[in-house]
Amino acid sequence: MNVAKRNIGLTFDGARCNFRIWAPQATKVQLAIKDKANIDLSRKDYGYWEASHITSIKETDLYWLKIDGKQLPDPASVLQPEGVHGPSQAINLNEKPSSDNWQNIPLKDYIIYELHTGTFSEGGDFEGVAEKLDHLIELGITAIELMPVAAFAGERNWGYDGVLPFAIQASYGGPKALQKLVALCHSKGLAVILDVVYNHFGPEGNYLHEFGPYFTDKYKTPWGKAVNFDDRGSHGVREYIIENAIMWFRDFHIDALRLDAVHAIKDNSASHILQEISKHTDLLSKQTGKPYYLIAECDLNDPRYISPVEQNGLGMHGQWVDEFHHALRVAAGEPKQGYYLDFAGISHLGKAYQDAYVYTGMYSKERDNFFGKSAQGHHGSQFTVFSQNHDHVGNRMLGERSSTLYSFEMQKLLAAAILTAPFVPMLFMGEEWAETNPFLYFIDHSDPDLVEAVRNGRREEFAASHVDGQAPDPKAEDTFNRSKLNWKLLQQAKNANMFQYYKQLIALRKQYTMLQTADLDTVKAYVFQAENSLMIERKCADENKSILCLLNFSSSVQQLSI
Amino acid sequence: MNVAKRNIGLTFDGARCNFRIWAPQATKVQLAIKDKANIDLSRKDYGYWEASHITSIKETDLYWLKIDGKQLPDPASVLQPEGVHGPSQAINLNEKPSSDNWQNIPLKDYIIYELHTGTFSEGGDFEGVAEKLDHLIELGITAIELMPVAAFAGERNWGYDGVLPFAIQASYGGPKALQKLVALCHSKGLAVILDVVYNHFGPEGNYLHEFGPYFTDKYKTPWGKAVNFDDRGSHGVREYIIENAIMWFRDFHIDALRLDAVHAIKDNSASHILQEISKHTDLLSKQTGKPYYLIAECDLNDPRYISPVEQNGLGMHGQWVDEFHHALRVAAGEPKQGYYLDFAGISHLGKAYQDAYVYTGMYSKERDNFFGKSAQGHHGSQFTVFSQNHDHVGNRMLGERSSTLYSFEMQKLLAAAILTAPFVPMLFMGEEWAETNPFLYFIDHSDPDLVEAVRNGRREEFAASHVDGQAPDPKAEDTFNRSKLNWKLLQQAKNANMFQYYKQLIALRKQYTMLQTADLDTVKAYVFQAENSLMIERKCADENKSILCLLNFSSSVQQLSI
């Protein structure tokens, strides 16, 4: 696969277009351009269909694919102006703002800000994000992380129901607006991480099964049939996903991908799809001379995911560590239920500071298994930590942020725990001013049965965990609107105070190398059980110096003897 | 886990016994010894039940396990004298013939003879095997490989329907007879490989689901629910399987395990079950000072399986290479259908000689995928090759061996191809004298519906591949009896001739280092397409010498220009 150019879908080459799509079971494939003559595609090897030097398609033309007469959106569409069920739109991705002077920043220096485009700003789109970048710069952030932007059904969604992974959600502004936002970020010194979902497709608007064997029943996932990465015909699915990962780097100048729930990607072939993504990303890196990073969400405590491909690793540069969050929240007083059940508070938090993973082979009650493996030998920059993210906030029935769960002082402690960690710290939008609006679960499917199923699913989920009250209606526009950040809060003394605190913490981190990502050997945690306190010693790798971080999770002043 | 002693089931300690079993869902577990009082087991951590210092059980006592009143065979039983549905028998595995002077032989020197205990000798048991060992010694064999001996329903089975992996099939002679056979082999300089099945359990007599979550529906296998190696509660299943692997080495002095179809073992946990088996085997090796080998049957062309655990490999020492067989058989004139479809004959055979795998990332029509990965850097001793084995013979409708499919001269060529290969060669019982009896598929289930299902399955399988005639009835005793070797053939001139030929080939291999397993770098294959011939150059690693093996698959004399 040539990573230098777009290999799937519609590609502009000057005024002409090429088109290539995988539809192995089809007997006739056509491009149906609105108000123009259909173009027959020719069948090529391995189930691909192609047309070259097309002159009749102009930018912004609407088109469909006709698979044996059936009219469908292009699986590699980059824009669906009328939604996921509508026609695709011809967009020239080659004409983009230059980012040539941008060299990315080292992963070890990432300070990440996770944001949801729809609720981050009042406008709810990429332009809205652009307007707020100076706030993030002032805060000290070095990388923004966009929750998924792939086209989903309706206007409102967290992004994990995307069905067209190449299409940029129209209500966010589409591909051109994303290219513009990335260029603006780079001009301000900000890296951009994009959240991508390769483990499942959303429940509405997914037409991929009409094109080929995108799914397999070899494996069961929480979201139904697994994506086919190793069963018959998976070669086309693999190329589709590799091409997608490369597109973000090549055509959008994205700096890093956050790969959603890679533990749900099942692949027992000799070359795991993550290894292939890693190899192709390295190839592109060599061509452009810029580093690109792959950060996996992974729930397996298996360091193989973040080991190099040459060592039979899966080649991810980094991963999220939910266990750090769980231990931290229990230390902060979170009731031990659900996924907190396994966590002991400060002793586990101490372990997480030293070893990244808490469970490294011990018995986990929640999993009823001996779980995980030591990540010894890996660097702190390979682990992203947070005191809250979209999942932990939004998967609560009422979407409460830390701001409404913990005292002001405890919120500051949580921030300090993250921002002095030897890992890559990540904030969730608004936490820097203790935003009090919730971040709720919202969807905007058009299929009434599906909407009802989602509603019932939420109800049952919280009935099972005995939470009082009722889950807000995920389909209601109000649920979405209530989840928007309230930027006006920043003008209030308390919130401004919190913002200044975050700002100073980040400045402190930037000032002292010893507070940044580090070799885990240089981190020592001292647990003071009786005092519910933790002392983290951060040694300087070269000199005989160290910094001590004292974290007092109790409600009173403590005296610690060293 | 302490590998030095038996951790599951009944263990003798002098005149007393200990018992330990995993039954996490049970509320009461008892040992019910025939004609004696029941013994209550105590619940321990992680769902185990134990009793120590039991004095009432004597060797040969019959016993049941009572799980909440339900009477079941012991999952770790070593003998089922009345079959898989009957009681277990108390056997002291500690009293065994000594093998202390035996040090195993290097894997690189293995010349394997695969045999099925039930059909190898007239007696159809371990004693029958013992009587024929001198024949194998004369032939030059260095290791016998026993098809699975774990207890299965009925008296006749290939062994892949085993349901009690610790129990040695009673009709073969049980555990004591196996210990005796292994000791005899060692005294004659023969290593013993045992075929073990960890990817599924047989369809009749499997009571494991009564004890714990041995199965998961996370993965689909050709044989129904997958064995649970990574889902909730899999820790007990993992210990059960690891303990089983170790038992063969520790208590039976088996030298190597052949692990059946490891591609069907699905495990996405941080420590793959094969890695755990490998680590525990290494531990035992350190304690006894003897090497033990793990040889996997694997259909993935993924060298990770045979890479060390320290390099994120799965720690198998070797694997079978079916592709060598397929390429060889197509070179010999096998019609290109079924799994032969993908193979081009001598060009692919040449590749297999050099690279072990044929498919190293190329497109496979049969799999509709780009398949496999190069095994570069691995040693020839990691690959077992054969021109026929139980599967390729027995999965033909009429169970024909090469002897009834190929000319006498072609049979000799096939033998030479295997016995001069840089890999570990394996013969299938009887091929050394061109045995003409078939090796058919046979079972002896007692459940009539199951028997009918197996019959229909065989019929449909061959109907689908358009084979003429009818599949012999797998349940008929005659089908089993017809599959027995006819040792009298050895007295006939033609068969004696073939035996001498094999004997001389093996002697030749032993005489010249250059004909033995080797670094794949030292092997060069020259393909003569027009002459349907292959020249294999085997270089001496140290000196500037080589041996040429000329393989002429055409029906006439050929002149090859070097």
Coordinates of all heavy atoms in Angstrom, one line a residue, chain B residues 473-524:
Chain B
D473 N -18.6 -46.7 7.7 CA -19.3 -46.3 8.9 C -18.3 -46.1 10.1 O -17.6 -47.1 10.5 CB -20.3 -47.4 9.3 CG -21.0 -47.1 10.6 OD1 -20.8 -46.0 11.2 OD2 -21.7 -48.0 11.1
P474 N -18.1 -44.9 10.6 CA -17.1 -44.7 11.6 C -17.3 -45.4 12.9 O -16.3 -45.7 13.6 CB -17.2 -43.1 11.9 CG -18.3 -42.6 11.1 CD -18.9 -43.7 10.2
K475 N -18.5 -45.8 13.1 CA -18.8 -46.5 14.4 C -18.6 -48.0 14.3 O -18.4 -48.7 15.3 CB -20.3 -46.3 14.7 CG -20.9 -47.1 15.8 CD -20.6 -46.7 17.2 CE -21.3 -47.6 18.3 NZ -20.9 -47.3 19.6
A476 N -18.5 -48.6 13.1 CA -18.4 -50.0 12.9 C -17.0 -50.5 13.4 O -16.0 -49.9 13.1 CB -18.5 -50.4 11.4
E477 N -17.0 -51.6 14.1 CA -15.7 -52.1 14.6 C -14.8 -52.5 13.5 O -13.6 -52.4 13.6 CB -16.0 -53.3 15.5 CG -14.8 -53.6 16.4 CD -15.1 -54.6 17.6 OE1 -16.3 -54.8 17.8 OE2 -14.1 -55.1 18.1
D478 N -15.4 -52.9 12.4 CA -14.7 -53.3 11.2 C -13.9 -52.1 10.6 O -12.7 -52.3 10.2 CB -15.7 -53.8 10.2 CG -15.0 -54.2 8.9 OD1 -14.0 -55.1 9.0 OD2 -15.3 -53.7 7.8
T479 N -14.4 -51.0 10.7 CA -13.7 -49.8 10.2 C -12.4 -49.6 11.0 O -11.4 -49.2 10.4 CB -14.6 -48.5 10.4 OG1 -15.8 -48.8 9.6 CG2 -14.0 -47.3 9.8
F480 N -12.5 -49.8 12.3 CA -11.3 -49.7 13.2 C -10.3 -50.8 12.8 O -9.2 -50.6 12.6 CB -11.8 -49.8 14.6 CG -10.7 -50.0 15.6 CD1 -9.9 -48.9 16.0 CD2 -10.5 -51.2 16.3 CE1 -8.9 -49.1 16.9 CE2 -9.5 -51.4 17.2 CZ -8.7 -50.3 17.6
N481 N -10.9 -52.1 12.7 CA -10.0 -53.2 12.5 C -9.3 -53.1 11.1 O -8.1 -53.5 11.0 CB -10.8 -54.5 12.6 CG -11.1 -54.9 14.0 OD1 -10.3 -54.5 14.9 ND2 -12.2 -55.5 14.3
R482 N -10.0 -52.6 10.1 CA -9.4 -52.5 8.8 C -8.2 -51.5 8.8 O -7.4 -51.4 7.9 CB -10.4 -52.0 7.8 CG -11.3 -53.2 7.3 CD -12.5 -52.6 6.5 NE -12.0 -51.8 5.4 CZ -12.7 -50.8 4.9 NH1 -13.9 -50.4 5.3 NH2 -12.2 -50.1 3.9
S483 N -8.2 -50.6 9.8 CA -7.2 -49.5 9.9 C -5.9 -50.0 10.6 O -5.0 -49.2 10.7 CB -7.8 -48.3 10.7 OG -8.9 -47.9 10.0
K484 N -6.0 -51.2 11.1 CA -4.8 -51.7 11.8 C -3.6 -52.0 10.8 O -3.9 -52.5 9.7 CB -5.1 -53.0 12.6 CG -6.0 -52.7 13.8 CD -6.0 -53.8 14.8 CE -6.6 -53.4 16.1 NZ -6.6 -54.4 17.1
L485 N -2.4 -51.8 11.3 CA -1.3 -52.2 10.4 C -1.2 -53.7 10.2 O -1.6 -54.4 11.1 CB 0.0 -51.7 11.1 CG 0.3 -50.2 11.2 CD1 1.7 -49.9 11.8 CD2 0.1 -49.5 9.9
N486 N -0.8 -54.0 9.0 CA -0.6 -55.4 8.7 C 0.9 -55.7 8.7 O 1.6 -55.6 7.7 CB -1.2 -55.7 7.3 CG -1.0 -57.1 6.9 OD1 -0.6 -58.0 7.7 ND2 -1.4 -57.5 5.6
W487 N 1.4 -56.1 9.9 CA 2.8 -56.3 10.0 C 3.4 -57.4 9.2 O 4.6 -57.5 8.9 CB 3.1 -56.6 11.5 CG 3.0 -55.3 12.3 CD1 1.9 -54.8 12.9 CD2 4.0 -54.4 12.7 NE1 2.1 -53.7 13.5 CE2 3.4 -53.4 13.4 CE3 5.4 -54.3 12.4 CZ2 4.2 -52.3 14.0 CZ3 6.1 -53.3 12.9 CH2 5.5 -52.3 13.7
K488 N 2.5 -58.3 8.7 CA 2.9 -59.5 7.9 C 3.4 -59.0 6.6 O 4.3 -59.7 5.9 CB 1.8 -60.4 7.7 CG 1.4 -61.2 9.0 CD 0.4 -62.3 8.7 CE -0.1 -62.8 10.1 NZ -1.6 -62.8 10.1
L489 N 3.0 -57.8 6.1 CA 3.4 -57.3 4.8 C 5.0 -57.2 4.8 O 5.6 -57.3 3.7 CB 2.8 -55.9 4.6 CG 1.4 -55.8 4.0 CD1 1.1 -54.4 3.7 CD2 1.3 -56.7 2.7
L490 N 5.5 -56.9 6.0 CA 7.0 -56.7 6.0 C 7.8 -57.9 5.5 O 8.9 -57.8 5.2 CB 7.4 -56.5 7.5 CG 7.7 -55.1 7.9 CD1 8.0 -55.0 9.4 CD2 8.9 -54.5 7.1
Q491 N 7.1 -59.1 5.5 CA 7.7 -60.3 5.0 C 7.7 -60.4 3.5 O 8.3 -61.2 2.9 CB 7.1 -61.5 5.6 CG 7.3 -61.6 7.1 CD 6.3 -62.4 7.8 OE1 5.6 -63.2 7.2 NE2 6.2 -62.3 9.1
Q492 N 6.9 -59.5 2.8 CA 6.9 -59.5 1.4 C 8.0 -58.7 0.8 O 8.4 -57.7 1.3 CB 5.5 -59.0 0.9 CG 4.4 -59.9 1.3 CD 3.1 -59.6 0.7 OE1 3.0 -58.9 -0.3 NE2 2.0 -60.2 1.2
A493 N 8.5 -59.2 -0.4 CA 9.7 -58.6 -1.0 C 9.6 -57.1 -1.2 O 10.4 -56.3 -0.8 CB 10.0 -59.3 -2.3
K494 N 8.5 -56.7 -1.8 CA 8.3 -55.3 -2.1 C 8.3 -54.4 -0.9 O 8.9 -53.3 -0.8 CB 6.9 -55.1 -2.9 CG 6.8 -53.9 -3.7 CD 5.5 -53.9 -4.5 CE 5.0 -52.5 -4.8 NZ 3.7 -52.6 -5.3
N495 N 7.6 -54.9 0.1 CA 7.5 -54.1 1.4 C 8.8 -54.1 2.1 O 9.2 -53.1 2.7 CB 6.3 -54.7 2.2 CG 5.0 -54.7 1.5 OD1 4.7 -55.6 0.8 ND2 4.3 -53.5 1.6
A496 N 9.5 -55.2 2.1 CA 10.8 -55.3 2.8 C 11.8 -54.4 2.1 O 12.6 -53.7 2.7 CB 11.3 -56.7 2.8
N497 N 11.6 -54.3 0.8 CA 12.5 -53.4 0.0 C 12.2 -52.0 0.4 O 13.2 -51.2 0.6 CB 12.0 -53.6 -1.5 CG 12.8 -52.7 -2.5 OD1 13.1 -51.6 -2.1 ND2 13.0 -53.2 -3.7
M498 N 11.0 -51.6 0.6 CA 10.7 -50.2 1.0 C 11.3 -50.0 2.4 O 11.8 -48.9 2.6 CB 9.2 -50.0 1.0 CG 8.8 -48.5 1.3 SD 9.4 -47.3 0.1 CE 8.0 -47.3 -1.1
F499 N 11.1 -50.9 3.2 CA 11.6 -50.8 4.6 C 13.2 -50.5 4.6 O 13.7 -49.7 5.3 CB 11.3 -52.0 5.4 CG 11.8 -51.9 6.8 CD1 11.3 -51.1 7.8 CD2 12.9 -52.7 7.2 CE1 11.8 -51.0 9.1 CE2 13.4 -52.7 8.5 CZ 12.9 -51.8 9.4
Q500 N 13.9 -51.3 3.7 CA 15.3 -51.2 3.6 C 15.6 -49.8 3.1 O 16.6 -49.1 3.5 CB 15.9 -52.2 2.7 CG 15.9 -53.6 3.3 CD 16.6 -53.7 4.7 OE1 17.6 -53.0 4.9 NE2 16.0 -54.4 5.6
Y501 N 14.8 -49.3 2.1 CA 15.1 -48.0 1.6 C 15.0 -46.9 2.6 O 15.8 -46.0 2.8 CB 14.0 -47.7 0.4 CG 14.2 -46.4 -0.2 CD1 15.2 -46.1 -1.1 CD2 13.3 -45.4 0.1 CE1 15.3 -44.8 -1.7 CE2 13.4 -44.1 -0.5 CZ 14.4 -43.9 -1.3 OH 14.5 -42.6 -1.9
Y502 N 13.9 -47.0 3.4 CA 13.7 -46.0 4.5 C 14.9 -46.1 5.5 O 15.4 -45.0 6.0 CB 12.4 -46.3 5.3 CG 11.2 -45.5 4.8 CD1 10.5 -45.9 3.7 CD2 10.8 -44.3 5.3 CE1 9.4 -45.2 3.2 CE2 9.7 -43.6 4.9 CZ 9.0 -44.0 3.8 OH 7.9 -43.3 3.3
K503 N 15.3 -47.3 5.8 CA 16.3 -47.5 6.8 C 17.6 -46.9 6.3 O 18.4 -46.2 7.0 CB 16.5 -49.0 6.9 CG 17.3 -49.5 8.1 CD 17.2 -51.0 8.2 CE 18.5 -51.6 8.7 NZ 18.5 -53.1 8.8
Q504 N 17.9 -47.1 5.0 CA 19.1 -46.5 4.4 C 19.1 -45.0 4.4 O 20.1 -44.3 4.6 CB 19.4 -47.1 3.0 CG 19.9 -48.5 3.1 CD 19.9 -49.2 1.7 OE1 19.7 -48.6 0.7 NE2 19.9 -50.5 1.8
L505 N 17.9 -44.5 4.0 CA 17.8 -43.0 4.0 C 18.0 -42.4 5.4 O 18.7 -41.4 5.5 CB 16.3 -42.6 3.6 CG 16.0 -42.3 2.1 CD1 14.6 -42.0 2.0 CD2 16.9 -41.1 1.7
I506 N 17.5 -43.0 6.4 CA 17.7 -42.5 7.8 C 19.1 -42.6 8.2 O 19.7 -41.7 8.8 CB 16.7 -43.2 8.8 CG1 15.3 -42.9 8.4 CG2 17.1 -42.9 10.2 CD1 14.2 -43.5 9.3
A507 N 19.7 -43.8 7.8 CA 21.2 -43.9 8.1 C 22.0 -42.8 7.4 O 22.9 -42.3 8.0 CB 21.6 -45.3 7.6
L508 N 21.7 -42.5 6.2 CA 22.3 -41.5 5.4 C 22.2 -40.2 6.1 O 23.2 -39.4 6.3 CB 21.7 -41.4 4.0 CG 22.5 -40.9 2.9 CD1 23.7 -41.8 2.6 CD2 21.7 -40.8 1.6
R509 N 21.0 -39.8 6.6 CA 20.7 -38.6 7.3 C 21.6 -38.5 8.5 O 22.1 -37.5 8.8 CB 19.2 -38.5 7.6 CG 18.9 -37.2 8.4 CD 17.4 -37.2 8.7 NE 17.1 -35.9 9.4 CZ 16.6 -34.8 8.9 NH1 16.4 -34.8 7.6 NH2 16.4 -33.7 9.7
K510 N 21.7 -39.6 9.2 CA 22.5 -39.6 10.5 C 24.0 -39.5 10.2 O 24.7 -38.9 11.0 CB 22.2 -40.9 11.3 CG 20.8 -40.9 11.9 CD 20.6 -42.2 12.7 CE 19.3 -42.1 13.5 NZ 19.0 -43.4 14.2
Q511 N 24.4 -40.0 9.0 CA 25.8 -40.0 8.7 C 26.3 -38.6 8.3 O 27.4 -38.2 8.7 CB 26.0 -40.9 7.5 CG 27.5 -41.2 7.2 CD 27.6 -42.1 6.0 OE1 26.6 -42.8 5.5 NE2 28.8 -42.2 5.4
Y512 N 25.4 -37.8 7.6 CA 25.9 -36.5 7.1 C 25.2 -35.4 7.8 O 24.0 -35.2 7.7 CB 25.6 -36.4 5.6 CG 26.4 -37.3 4.8 CD1 25.9 -38.5 4.3 CD2 27.8 -37.0 4.5 CE1 26.7 -39.4 3.6 CE2 28.6 -37.9 3.8 CZ 28.0 -39.1 3.3 OH 28.8 -39.9 2.6
T513 N 25.9 -34.6 8.6 CA 25.4 -33.4 9.3 C 24.6 -32.5 8.3 O 23.6 -32.0 8.6 CB 26.5 -32.6 9.9 OG1 27.4 -33.5 10.6 CG2 26.0 -31.6 10.9
M514 N 25.1 -32.5 7.1 CA 24.5 -31.6 6.1 C 23.1 -32.0 5.6 O 22.4 -31.3 4.9 CB 25.4 -31.5 4.8 CG 26.5 -30.4 5.0 SD 27.5 -30.3 3.5 CE 28.6 -31.6 3.7
L515 N 22.7 -33.3 6.0 CA 21.4 -33.7 5.7 C 20.4 -33.6 6.8 O 19.3 -34.0 6.8 CB 21.4 -35.2 5.2 CG 22.0 -35.5 3.8 CD1 22.0 -37.0 3.5 CD2 21.2 -34.7 2.8
Q516 N 20.9 -33.0 7.9 CA 20.1 -32.9 9.1 C 19.4 -31.5 9.2 O 19.6 -30.7 8.3 CB 21.0 -33.2 10.4 CG 21.5 -34.6 10.3 CD 22.6 -34.9 11.3 OE1 22.8 -34.1 12.2 NE2 23.3 -36.0 11.1
T517 N 18.7 -31.3 10.3 CA 18.1 -30.0 10.5 C 19.2 -28.9 10.5 O 20.3 -29.2 10.9 CB 17.4 -29.9 11.9 OG1 18.4 -30.1 12.9 CG2 16.3 -30.9 12.0
A518 N 18.9 -27.8 10.0 CA 19.9 -26.7 9.7 C 19.4 -25.3 9.8 O 18.1 -25.1 9.7 CB 20.6 -27.0 8.4
D519 N 20.2 -24.4 9.9 CA 19.9 -23.0 9.7 C 19.4 -22.9 8.3 O 19.9 -23.4 7.4 CB 21.3 -22.2 9.8 CG 21.2 -21.1 10.7 OD1 20.2 -20.3 10.6 OD2 22.0 -20.9 11.6
L520 N 18.3 -22.2 8.2 CA 17.6 -22.1 6.9 C 18.5 -21.3 5.9 O 18.4 -21.5 4.7 CB 16.2 -21.5 7.0 CG 15.3 -22.4 7.8 CD1 13.8 -21.8 7.8 CD2 15.3 -23.8 7.4
D521 N 19.4 -20.5 6.4 CA 20.3 -19.8 5.5 C 21.2 -20.8 4.7 O 21.7 -20.4 3.6 CB 21.3 -18.9 6.3 CG 20.6 -17.8 7.0 OD1 19.4 -17.6 6.7 OD2 21.2 -17.2 7.9
T522 N 21.4 -22.0 5.2 CA 22.3 -22.9 4.5 C 21.6 -23.7 3.5 O 22.2 -24.6 2.9 CB 23.0 -23.8 5.5 OG1 22.0 -24.7 6.1 CG2 23.7 -23.0 6.7
V523 N 20.3 -23.5 3.2 CA 19.6 -24.3 2.3 C 19.2 -23.4 1.1 O 18.7 -22.3 1.2 CB 18.2 -24.7 2.9 CG1 17.4 -25.6 2.0 CG2 18.5 -25.4 4.2
K524 N 19.5 -23.9 -0.1 CA 19.1 -23.2 -1.3 C 18.4 -24.2 -2.2 O 18.8 -25.3 -2.5 CB 20.4 -22.7 -2.0 CG 20.2 -21.9 -3.3 CD 20.4 -20.4 -3.1 CE 20.0 -19.6 -4.3 NZ 18.6 -19.6 -4.6

